[in-house]
Amino acid sequence: MCIGQLGNLLPHVALSANLAQHLMPAWGLSAAEGGLMASGYAFGYMLAVPVLTTLTDRIDARLVLLGGSVVSGLATVAFGIFAQGFWSGTIIWSLAGLGFAGAYMPGLKALTDRLPAGDTSRAVTLYTSSFSVGVGLSFLIAQVLADGWGWRTAFYVTGIGPIAMVVACLLIERRSPAPRVGRLLNFAPVFANREALGYIFGYGAHCFELYGIRTWLVGFWTYVVAHQGAPSWLSPVLMSFCFAVISMPASILGNEAALKFGRHRAITVVMIASACVALVIGLNATAPAWVLALLLMIYGLTVPADSGALTAGMSAAAVSEHRGATLALHSTVGFGLSAIGAWGTGVALDAAGGPQSARGWSLVFIVLAAGIALGPLALLWARISGPGKHVSTPR
């Protein structure tokens, strides 16, 4: 499943990896337009995931995963063939996000449905943290191909990646959930589960920060290379790849810390640390390149360190018969705020001077810090509000 997910993630940041260097100049886009186009992926995901993930409480999640992987790959290839500007690019990239809505959380459901009873925290964390390796490969492959053969080639090739998950779906065993009756989109039991809601809203803050930095990381480092004299080997390709790949050990270690010291405490510490690092970067956007490179690598550790712990906490807090609905709300909130993060940071960049302005990049990181700082408040709200009730509905 993790190997299949690597393939599914090859298209994931193909647009963000080429946004500042290729797509915005070619189509004359502002940072706000570029951010909005990138957020189309998260918006398409947000619209589809409530239905697709909740559907896994009724049919084998493997089938949803299979269909979503196929749509994601085809839409990515279609972007390379048909995208000609802001509107066509946003619409097609939203379809790619819609496909990924059937490929990520349904994949997690397909995995947890086949795990033995007991603590699944480490398995869930391995699955979620392998996300970072896939994103790193997406950054690397998309930029290398675009620089060598044009940005359209990057979409053609990365669009082939989801075939890996198609193969995985065909290899894993079939398993169907117990038949259910009632409304498909019934989130009342999830909203009654305060413990799960705390992790869900915390995940939203995490996604705002994560998608915001992934959208503009290449653009920021392109600015640093042009204005602060970074050495030629310290390229946007290398920086974005390293930033993404170190996320995997960071997420795993974050979850281990949560198991050892307590989940709420560990997540809160990580989020506050991440906000502080973002502020330091924002207030020092004109620092020497080696200083910013070091700070970005630290940020690459703090940004994802809460991801596995948040998702594992949500999964553990979910009532088994409503796990699909809980995963659906988790993903809807997360990717809804991802879309706001990508667009909002683009608006901030334009408002403070644009991609060639140090003030613009300073404001981007200040916005990211403000977003993740809301995460600890969500966890505190869940704790002081009490665990809530687990509401059951007839099967």
Side-chain angles (χ1 to χ4, degrees), residues 348-366:
L349 185 58
D350 276 342
Q356 300 304 316
S357 165
R359 290 179 63 250
W361 291 113
S362 293
L363 188 56
V364 165
F365 283 96
I366 290 171

Side-chain angles (χ1 to χ4, degrees), residues 198-295:
Y199 292 117
I200 288 170
F201 293 147
Y203 182 70
H206 159 78
C207 287
F208 177 94
E209 178 188 40
L210 179 66
Y211 211 74
I213 185 58
R214 281 181 176 166
T215 298
W216 296 109
L217 177 61
V218 173
F220 174 62
W221 199 252
T222 300
Y223 164 83
V224 173
V225 169
H227 293 83
Q228 272 110 284
S232 58
W233 59 269
L234 202 56
S235 64
V237 175
L238 179 64
M239 285 298 298
S240 57
F241 175 74
C242 292
F243 186 94
V245 168
I246 62 175
S247 297
M248 182 174 187
S251 184
I252 293 173
L253 291 174
N255 185 66
E256 292 299 316
L259 294 174
K260 184 175 179 63
F261 301 110
R263 201 171 296 279
H264 276 219
R265 181 181 302 169
I267 293 171
T268 297
V269 169
V270 166
M271 287 179 166
I272 292 173
S274 197
C276 291
V277 176
L279 278 175
V280 171
I281 296 173
L283 296 175
N284 294 275
T286 57
W290 69 269
V291 173
L292 290 171
L294 178 61
L295 288 171

Side-chain angles (χ1 to χ4, degrees), residues 370-386:
I372 192 60
L374 296 176
L377 296 179
L379 295 177
L380 180 62
W381 167 82
R383 175 169 290 181
I384 64 177
S385 298

Side-chain angles (χ1 to χ4, degrees), residues 44-59:
Y45 186 105
M46 179 188 69
L47 290 180
V49 75
V51 174
L52 296 179
T53 307
T54 308
L55 192 62
T56 63
D57 282 333
R58 298 167 182 258
I59 66 173

Side-chain angles (χ1 to χ4, degrees), residues 108 112 120 124 196 199 310-319 323 326-327 330:
L108 179 60
T112 54
T120 61
V124 170
Y199 292 117
L310 285 163
T311 302
M314 173 276 302
S315 183
V319 183
R323 182 167 285 116
T326 308
L327 287 170
H330 185 76

